[in-house]
Amino acid sequence: MSARRHLRAGLRIGRAEYVRSVRRYVGDARRILGLVVVALCFSWVLLFSIPAGFVFGRTASAVVENPFFGPAATAIPIGLVLLATLRTVERIGSIDAADLVLLTVHPRAIVIGLITAEIARLATWFGLPAIAVVAAFALGLGAPWLVVTGGLVMVPLVCVTAVWGYAVGIAILRALRRVPRARRILHVGWLLAVVGLVVGSQFLARYLVDGGAQVRSIASTLALAPLADYLALAFVGTPLARPMSIGAVGVLFALLALTPVGLAVATRLAAGLWFSDGTREGGTRQTKTVSGGFRPPRPFAWTKSGRIAWGQLVRAVRHPQDLSHLVMILFVAAPLAPTVVGTSGERLGVLLAGTGVGFGTYVAGAAFGLNPLGDDRPQVPLLVLSGTDPRTFVRGRLLAGLAMGAPVAVLVPLATVAIGTDPLDGLAFAAVGIGTCLAAGQFALGIGAAYPIYEERQFWGSETVVPSTLVMMTYSFVVGSGTMIALFVTWFAVTGHLTATVLVAAGLSVYLLLTAGISYGSYRYAIRRYRRYTVD
């Protein structure tokens, strides 16, 4: 099969993969509802970005001369390679019905198809909003053709970063197959990298604002001039254009030459992954004998719900990818990092106490409650048909979440006493943390049981089920808002700024009744869903 036929077959595979992914969303009413909610939640970003882009275009005079243009131009290909690597390890490291497809077409065609489909998916999600902002900037600049020139400049860059990122991702998957124990190290490393990236970005933003000349000096050092000159070609024919340099032309030819080379490397690595069996570490399989059975420690061993909770915790330790959805809290808590570092005295203790309560409350419900029916696949039919009351399974998940979140919500406020927080204030925040953790755990079980997700997907080379995005966003908004109200009321109460009036008493009564009623109602609904579970 010639290269042209490989390309034609790859484009057909890419089109089929993209259409199938679109139909997967369009064919499910619940997913459509989730997409609508996500679009509404993030529409305010476009409503702000599009007018801002237009105004920036009207006032822009020398974007390419900005000291941060070079570092940004250097960071773009690095970010694209990392994104391609992540998506390869997470999703497109293999194709469905691989036994049939590999006997039908060349691996090069499959690689082209998978990369093309993923570029189309990402372009649908992020490319369209980006084009809208760039178009607004181009209209403000008076050069609408900037959208076309910018696209022509980005296409070679996207292609070369996509194929080389795919090659790196396939190499990681081959390493994981040869050394299975490295997967756990990779999970921990990925989590630490995300934490460092999210938290570090907050300090970087403040440093960029306050750094001044020192920041400009570092930015000029990190910039790759030829790459910046190449991206500046997007402004050809506009008031922001600058003369074409030899470095820009050299980068263009390098991108065009590295794309087929990267495709060949990716094809060779992918063929080695798809046509070979993984080797086990040590060369032979060793059978481990376990004596004593499953013995949960006290106090988990006292009740059947406690033993179920211990089982959930043990499974989470053995399969940490099942808790990957907890990373969402980092994007909420990261903006607090610079504030915590810049705070001192008694305020630091109160801030840390509130942060501990908020973090523990989120984990108490999100860890095991956002997809109870989906997490127990495929054992759900066996569980609901057993002699154990469904209430016991629900309580087991609730206790498992509390075992993870409540210690943080209680111990962190108490620990702040060592840095100057009043002991009564620490006890007050700890008591509030217990209540918010219990309410969050019950509420999570209800919304998770209402919208279960059973389909597994690849995440860092492992099969796992992630709760629905709609459920996670709803949980984050409701629990985050409720916890913030509880923390503010607690802070006003311990500082003496909360006056006991009829209006305050009525407001607190309504808040407590709504919190307790919605949480307990969600808990009862989760039990009802277990009892009425049917096997299709």
Side-chain angles (χ1 to χ4, degrees):
M1 186 180 286
S2 64
R4 181 176 299 178
R5 295 181 63 184
H6 291 166
L7 178 61
R8 188 182 302 113
L11 294 178
R12 290 177 179 175
I13 293 175
R15 178 179 178 275
E17 288 289 315
Y18 176 74
V19 171
R20 190 176 64 167
S21 62
V22 172
R23 288 176 177 174
R24 187 181 298 119
Y25 281 96
V26 176
D28 191 344
R30 294 184 303 176
R31 295 197 178 196
I32 294 177
L33 177 61
L35 291 176
V36 171
V37 172
V38 171
L40 291 176
C41 292
F42 290 97
S43 60
W44 64 271
V45 178
L46 279 180
L47 293 178
F48 171 79
S49 300
I50 292 177
F54 181 80
V55 174
F56 183 59
R58 294 291 298 269
T59 58
S61 57
V63 174
V64 294
E65 303 300 332
N66 189 292
F68 298 107
F69 179 78
T74 306
I76 288 176
I78 297 176
L80 291 176
V81 171
L82 293 177
L83 178 61
T85 302
L86 172 64
R87 296 299 292 174
T88 301
V89 177
E90 180 186 4
R91 179 168 183 168
I92 60 173
S94 61
I95 190 171
D96 293 337
D99 294 339
L100 174 62
V101 179
L102 289 173
L103 293 175
T104 307
V105 295
H106 194 276
R108 184 186 294 111
I110 301 176
V111 171
I112 294 174
L114 292 174
I115 294 177
T116 303
E118 190 61 25
I119 291 176
R121 281 189 289 260
L122 294 177
T124 302
W125 282 100
F126 304 104
L128 295 179
I131 290 175
V133 176
V134 173
F137 174 80
L139 292 176
L141 188 63
W145 53 88
L146 176 63
V147 178
V148 178
T149 56
L152 294 176
V153 168
M154 287 300 299
V155 166
L157 187 62
V158 170
C159 290
V160 72
T161 54
V163 294
W164 281 103
Y166 190 85
V168 174
I170 292 295
I172 293 175
L173 290 177
R174 292 187 66 177
L176 292 178
R177 173 175 287 185
R178 293 180 178 274
V179 188
R181 292 182 183 178
R183 290 187 176 183
R184 181 168 297 184
I185 300 175
L186 184 61
H187 294 152
V188 177
W190 172 81
L191 179 60
L192 294 177
V194 172
V195 173
L197 179 63
V198 175
V199 176
S201 63
Q202 305 301 317
F203 289 98
L204 179 62
R206 176 170 293 188
Y207 185 71
L208 290 177
V209 174
D210 302 334
Q214 186 178 3
V215 175
R216 294 187 180 91
S217 176
I218 297 176
S220 61
T221 303
L222 297 177
L224 294 178
L227 192 56
D229 292 341
Y230 171 75
L231 290 179
L233 295 178
F235 297 98
V236 170
T238 70
L240 304 179
R242 65 182 182 185
M244 183 181 301
S245 65
I246 299 178
V249 179
V251 170
L252 175 60
F253 281 105
L255 295 178
L256 296 177
L258 288 175
T259 299
V261 175
L263 180 61
V265 173
T267 302
R268 187 179 184 85
L269 292 174
L273 176 68
W274 296 334
F275 288 106
S276 64
D277 295 329
T279 58
R280 298 180 180 86
E281 194 172 11
T284 60
R285 180 190 296 270
Q286 297 181 355
T287 303
K288 296 182 179 180
T289 59
V290 181
S291 61
F294 183 76
R295 294 180 179 178
R298 297 177 181 179
F300 293 98
W302 292 345
T303 62
K304 184 177 290 188
S305 297
R307 293 191 289 271
I308 294 175
W310 179 251
Q312 297 289 344
L313 294 173
V314 171
R315 188 172 71 174
V317 173
R318 293 175 177 175
H319 304 281
Q321 66 271 18
D322 292 344
L323 300 179
S324 58
H325 58 280
L326 295 180
V327 177
M328 282 190 63
I329 193 176
L330 297 177
F331 298 95
V332 179
L336 293 176
T339 304
V340 172
V341 174
T343 305
S344 60
E346 185 179 355
R347 291 184 178 181
L348 176 60
V350 174
L351 183 60
L352 289 177
T355 303
V357 171
F359 184 82
T361 300
Y362 182 90
V363 172
F368 302 101
L370 294 181
N371 192 27
L373 295 173
D375 286 343
D376 284 331
R377 80 228 175 268
Q379 295 86 11
V380 176
L382 299 177
L383 295 179
V384 298
L385 292 176
S386 65
T388 304
D389 190 347
R391 184 184 290 107
T392 305
F393 296 114
V394 177
R395 286 179 179 175
R397 285 191 165 272
L398 178 61
L399 291 176
L402 292 176
M404 287 188 62
V408 178
V410 174
L411 296 180
V412 172
L414 295 179
T416 58
V417 176
I419 59 175
T421 304
D422 188 88
L424 293 179
D425 296 351
L427 289 174
F429 276 101
V432 170
I434 295 175
T436 54
C437 285
L438 180 60
Q442 292 179 332
F443 177 71
L445 288 168
I447 61 172
Y451 197 103
I453 297 295
Y454 301 100
E455 296 83 5
E456 297 180 345
R457 69 180 180 88
Q458 286 283 336
F459 189 85
W460 285 102
S462 302
E463 293 286 343
T464 184
V465 174
V466 180
S468 166
T469 304
L470 176 61
V471 170
M472 288 192 289
M473 293 182 62
T474 304
Y475 173 82
S476 301
F477 175 76
V478 174
V479 173
S481 301
T483 305
M484 289 296 295
I485 294 175
L487 292 176
F488 276 116
V489 171
T490 304
W491 182 76
F492 279 109
V494 298
T495 55
H497 294 88
L498 188 65
T499 306
T501 62
V502 176
L503 182 60
V504 172
L508 288 177
S509 300
V510 172
Y511 168 75
L512 292 176
L513 287 175
L514 286 176
T515 302
I518 294 175
S519 300
Y520 184 71
S522 301
Y523 168 74
R524 296 294 301 178
Y525 175 77
I527 297 174
R528 182 182 178 185
R529 285 281 293 173
Y530 266 84
R531 285 176 175 168
R532 297 192 175 187
Y533 179 84
T534 58
V535 180
D536 296 331

